[in-house]
Amino acid sequence: CLQAAAHDAAAFLSSEDASLRGLSAWLLGILGAEESLDSLQGLLDDDSEIFLYQEGRQKLFRVKELAQEALTAIAARRAGEQG
């Protein structure tokens, strides 16, 4: 079921809406969606800015930051599974 959610979320990585791209990247990192690595890497130049609520306050993020965090989370999860 999580794999289906990751597949659905990955479709939004190419959205024209920066909020959808950023939220999708964030979610894919949480899900550890290795199948989205190439698409996430494609967002590393995306300077679009979005606001997210984190720790009870609104914060500004760039889509590329969320993509990098997702890639880091996926790599850490992979390393944890191997070690």
Side-chain angles (χ1 to χ4, degrees):
C1 193
L2 290 180
Q3 193 171 24
H7 179 269
D8 291 344
F12 291 102
L13 293 175
S14 59
S15 173
E16 291 184 22
D17 186 325
S19 294
L20 289 176
R21 292 192 309 274
L23 287 170
S24 296
W26 173 74
L27 176 60
L28 291 166
I30 291 170
L31 295 175
E34 292 187 33
E35 64 276 8
S36 299
L37 290 175
D38 289 340
S39 297
L40 288 166
Q41 287 173 346
L43 294 178
L44 293 177
D45 292 325
D46 191 332
D47 285 319
S48 303
E49 296 177 333
I50 66 169
F51 285 99
L52 298 177
Y53 279 92
Q54 198 174 61
E55 299 171 2
R57 61 173 61 159
Q58 190 177 33
K59 294 184 180 182
L60 182 67
F61 290 91
R62 285 193 161 83
V63 171
K64 68 180 181 183
E65 295 168 337
L66 295 167
Q68 182 59 62
E69 287 178 16
L71 290 166
T72 300
I74 292 168
R77 185 175 185 169
R78 182 188 295 172
E81 290 174 356
Q82 292 176 357

